Amino acid sequence: MTATDQLLFDGADWDFRTLQRICDACEDIARTELGLNVYPNQIEVITAEQMLDAYSSVGMPLFYKHWSFGKHFAYQEASYRKGLMGLAYEIVINSSPCISYLMEENTATMQTLVIAHAAFGHNHFFKNNYLFKQWTDADGILDYLEFAKSYVTQCEERHGRQAVEQTLDAAHALMSHGIDRYAGKKKLDLRAEEKRAGQRRLHEEGAFNDLWRTVPAGPVKSGTVLSVERRRKLLGLPQENLLYFLEKSAPRLAPWQRELLRIVRHIAQYFYPQSQTKVMNEGTATYVHYRIMNRLHEQGRLSDGNFLEFLQSHTNVVFQPDFDHRGFSGFNPYALGFAMMQDIERIVTNPEQEDREWFPDIAGRGDAMAVLRDTWANYRDESFISQFLSPRLMRHLRLFHLHDDPAQEEGIRVDAIHDERGYRRLRRELARQYDVGFIDANIEVVDVDLAGDRRLMLRHTVVKGARLNEADAAHVLQHLANLWSYDVSLVEVDEADVVLKEHKTTPRTVAAVA
Amino acid sequence: MAIHIVDRRLNPGSKSLENRQRFLRRAKALVQGAVKKSSQERDIKDVLEGGEISIPLDGMNEPRFRREGGTRDMVVPGNKKFVEGDMLPRSGQGSGKSNGPGEGDGEDGFRFVLSRDEFVDLFLDDLELPDLAKRKLAEVESEGIHRAGYTTSGSPANISVSRTVGRAMARRVALRRPRPEALAALEAELADCSEARRAEIEAEIEVLKARIRKIPFIDPIDIRYRRFETVPKPAAQAVMFCLMDVSGSMTEHMKDLAKRFYMLLYVFLKRRYRHVEIVFIRHTDKAEEVDEETFFRGPASGGTLVSSALQVMHDIVRSRFRPADWNIYAAQASDGDNSSSDSELVARLLTDLILPASQFYAYLEVGQDNGLTFDMPDSSLWTLYERLRADGAPLSARKVSERNEIFPVFHDLFKRRGKQERVA
């Protein structure tokens, strides 16, 4: 171990030896003092342009080609050039080894902050949180993306770029409804996926015999009408994973189209935990970098000047504008997450009477890191907030609940504020804002008209009167119908089972048959 | 555990280039429309600058199921004065902000930056210069040999005698090589001189001879060879004749229109040909070749004889731009006045001499500032050209009176055409 009272660096410049020293110092603190358990780290230094590249392909180091990524790139490049947008200091990828991208422009202090934040904070969260463990395969993701990329390229060569693009467009439109929300299926093994696709193609090629096409088909089976129950069971209905349903049951898709849907579905699933843990993930990473940086400073390895530089950017990161502030755009996940982590630390180590009443399990337990590590492993945003948002923090943030009912003409009602009557209601409402069950529209496939025109029937259960935007719904349904190859209908039904609206679409292009 | 630190900065950048190209290809129609619009607004000299454009999102959007309306609940921070049960007016402070982020942000245009090349490519994409196919083969570059100074090495055939001798003389003078006359004089003196002097002179002659032997008349370091370079010879070179009536009836506005037209033509030619020459010919009742400044600004007065300009153009073509080597483009701008007696001569010059040699002949009739293009009465020149065109002469004619009409006109002129179809 190097001497601890020596500065890691001086000034703003860094080189690769400095980075190595920083990593070692951070790792030491992360392991011994914070007890973090991380994937092996890989740190990559990139330029601003490469950062923009990474932005446009959802942060992944490699991705299949699609015009929509080009669109995002063009948009982000334009806003970056105009100075409307700064670039993130880092991007971190949930993979093993865990890859963190650092911008070359960062100062040495910023690199330290970013390494502590990404390579230890996020990394620990990825490795330990139950959602990530359940839904993602950190070991396999990079190989799978590589496979996806080459598979898409192969498809373009075999079936034409346009056909592939149409299928991907449709799949992307349904991406947010291509997720399994409930466990029960076996854990994803992306390496096996890759093999599976290859084997299937080999089998098809090996088993192909043109003669079979000439064998006359047997007499059509008697058209007994299946009972509704039986039919729905056969098709696995109701099904909320629209991409999965299409992949398995769409009658006229070619095998490669099914594989493309599968790829998009797997990638959506890979990001599913991230969308559910924004507050926790950023909160964890911010808390970890804050602890590490403070410790480095205490150890005399970070000069006062550099520490001030850190505090300045840390303060910017955790800034939470008030609702009437010009820059307000909802909760800043860094701010909320960090505040809650610190609050938990306070409750565990230095509770007040109120905390003992609200959090009897953890108040005064003493070992803040043990409680935090347990929290990081076993909660997602919604459960985390509904469990750990303390009255004190609600008062500190001066939270209040607005209820906006269009039928109420006088205006928007303040439904609860940070007082005794309001704490629980506030907490419940805020947790609901992070509940994926409410964030995405609840749309399911409910039935297929097998005896008639094979119409696919979907149902949107309307919550609190929020209906689908009609133009967008029409576009998405068009994509859906194109994949299904027959008519599609979607009914919007409110809680009382009253049909509010019905959308219908006819396929425009018949899905290509390989 | 070892931490891997990788320097990716040297990896090839522009990983998104292909995605970007796909996006542009997909948005081609939209982007092209936007480029056209933006090039109408901007100055023509900036046409080649690239820059930011905005396209409508239709067709480029990525639809998702999106919900709107209904009752909404929000928890927000920063309560300062509200208590439970307060009603906030919708339009007021507080409610405006509570509209919530992430609910479709209603962006109706998508702005992004095109690089210069992307912009120009789109700008010119569906345009094609007329009858280009005819000279397509000529566009293949051939190598030509070009004198390029002197060199110290080369083949004996390339020795530059004058340069070599010149350098040798300079060296001989500098090193004081005895001149042959001096030697001859000494030898003459030797023929009739005293014995004592003889030895002296002989010694002197020996010295001179030794010196002459030491300092050669021509030394290898004097030799210079003519140097030749092979340069790609743009077989497809173009010359653009700008013909303009500068008589009193042409207003500044008209000249401005004409200028923009010439500039655009230049832009097109510059892209197509390695080398583009421009010849400015202005005319009243006499024509002369002038420089650009004089062409647009120089004062002139007099009547109007178009044939004079055509005659000058023909002379210049004959003397300087052989049609076999040059693609000849001519663009004539005028307000349409021409003395009627001149018509026959104009027609003959055009059909017999100019048009057969030219790739393209465009006539732009410029109108008054506030004039309506379609109300412009047919002028004498217009009528004449109409007649020639009806007889099948390959010339294009257009009327323009507003600045923003130039580009569309230009676009029409150069639009891809069927083989036989003439520009209307």
Side-chain angles (χ1 to χ4, degrees), chain A residues 12-202:
Chain A
D13 295 338
W14 52 268
D15 56 20
F16 285 82
R17 278 210 305 280
T18 320
L19 285 187
Q20 189 67 54
R21 273 204 306 281
I22 293 172
C23 286
D24 293 340
C26 290
E27 179 164 6
D28 188 37
I29 297 170
R31 282 185 190 284
T32 55
E33 292 185 31
L34 307 182
L36 301 187
N37 169 21
V38 295
Y39 290 121
N41 270 308
Q42 178 163 328
I43 286 167
E44 308 197 349
V45 180
I46 59 173
T47 60
E49 191 203 351
Q50 287 168 326
M51 190 60 124
L52 272 172
D53 277 344
Y55 264 42
S56 57
S57 53
V58 291
M60 301 312 270
L62 69 172
F63 220 70
Y64 56 82
K65 305 280 180 219
H66 191 256
W67 63 267
S68 62
F69 307 133
K71 174 182 152 188
H72 295 153
F73 181 76
Y75 182 69
Q76 269 147 359
E77 195 191 19
S79 34
Y80 176 60
R81 280 200 193 168
K82 280 196 292 188
L84 294 182
M85 177 183 94
L87 290 179
Y89 298 122
E90 45 64 52
I91 285 185
V92 56
I93 291 164
N94 168 26
S95 63
S96 175
C98 176
I99 301 176
S100 318
Y101 292 117
L102 311 189
M103 288 252 280
E104 63 170 342
E105 283 90 341
N106 295 348
T107 61
T109 313
M110 288 309 299
Q111 301 293 30
T112 318
L113 164 63
V114 163
I115 288 169
H117 182 90
F120 295 98
H122 282 304
N123 191 347
H124 173 83
F125 197 81
F126 289 148
K127 190 170 177 189
N128 294 280
N129 185 266
Y130 80 106
L131 278 175
F132 286 90
K133 280 186 177 169
Q134 184 175 352
W135 293 120
T136 65
D137 174 11
D139 290 314
I141 183 66
L142 293 181
D143 288 343
Y144 188 68
L145 288 176
E146 177 73 54
F147 155 73
K149 186 179 171 189
S150 59
Y151 191 85
V152 170
T153 315
Q154 267 175 32
C155 284
E156 283 176 347
E157 281 163 11
R158 282 167 190 237
H159 310 289
R161 180 177 281 181
Q162 204 185 355
V164 172
E165 194 169 286
Q166 274 168 5
T167 311
L168 282 179
D169 284 354
H172 285 179
L174 296 166
M175 200 163 180
S176 55
H177 291 83
I179 297 164
D180 288 321
R181 290 177 198 280
Y182 304 102
K185 303 228 163 59
K186 65 177 189 316
K187 188 173 181 288
L188 220 65
D189 182 352
L190 294 176
R191 289 228 167 87
E193 279 293 318
E194 188 182 335
K195 269 190 219 126
R196 197 188 56 85
Q199 279 165 357
R200 193 165 67 187
R201 209 181 56 241
L202 279 182

Side-chain angles (χ1 to χ4, degrees), chain A residues 16 23 27 31 40-45 49-50 53 56 61 65-68 70-72 75 77 82 104 156 161 165 169 172 322-324 331 397-405 408 411-412 414-415 421 425 433 438-439 443 464-465 467-469 472 475, chain B residues 1 3-9 11 13-16 18-20 22-23 25-26 52 57 60-80 82-90 93-95 97-98 101 110-113:
Chain A
F16 285 82
C23 286
E27 179 164 6
R31 282 185 190 284
N41 270 308
Q42 178 163 328
I43 286 167
E44 308 197 349
V45 180
E49 191 203 351
Q50 287 168 326
D53 277 344
S56 57
K65 305 280 180 219
H66 191 256
W67 63 267
S68 62
K71 174 182 152 188
H72 295 153
Y75 182 69
E77 195 191 19
K82 280 196 292 188
E104 63 170 342
E156 283 176 347
R161 180 177 281 181
E165 194 169 286
D169 284 354
H172 285 179
D322 282 351
F323 78 102
D324 51 359
F331 271 103
L397 291 171
R398 311 185 78 83
L399 298 186
F400 64 115
H401 171 207
L402 291 171
H403 179 74
D404 182 3
D405 184 351
Q408 178 80 262
I412 300 166
V414 176
D415 221 33
R421 281 162 48 82
R425 275 188 287 158
Q433 281 182 21
F438 289 95
I439 291 171
I443 294 173
K464 296 203 290 188
R467 307 251 296 273
L468 294 179
N469 172 295
D472 276 356
H475 280 125
Chain B
M1 174 186 353
I3 292 180
H4 279 282
I5 301 180
V6 187
D7 187 358
R8 290 264 183 238
R9 287 173 296 179
N11 280 21
S14 331
K15 265 204 295 191
S16 294
E18 161 135 26
N19 284 330
R20 185 183 167 89
R22 283 175 188 228
F23 162 63
R25 204 175 309 140
R26 188 178 166 105
E52 193 180 84
L57 264 183
M60 288 312 294
N61 63 348
E62 300 160 83
R64 296 280 149 90
F65 283 125
R66 193 155 63 77
R67 286 174 303 175
E68 58 190 10
T71 55
R72 278 202 302 260
D73 288 285
M74 308 263 317
V75 175
V76 290
N79 183 11
K80 286 165 191 88
F82 306 130
V83 295
E84 190 180 331
D86 278 0
M87 298 299 279
L88 314 180
R90 281 218 166 71
Q93 189 198 34
S95 65
K97 283 293 178 189
S98 69
F110 177 71
R111 301 190 74 81
F112 63 97
V113 178

Side-chain angles (χ1 to χ4, degrees), chain A residues 15 47 149 168 246 252 308 368 396-397 413 498:
Chain A
D15 56 20
T47 60
K149 186 179 171 189
L168 282 179
L246 288 170
R252 299 184 65 181
L308 274 177
H396 175 70
L397 291 171
R413 196 172 75 241
V498 179

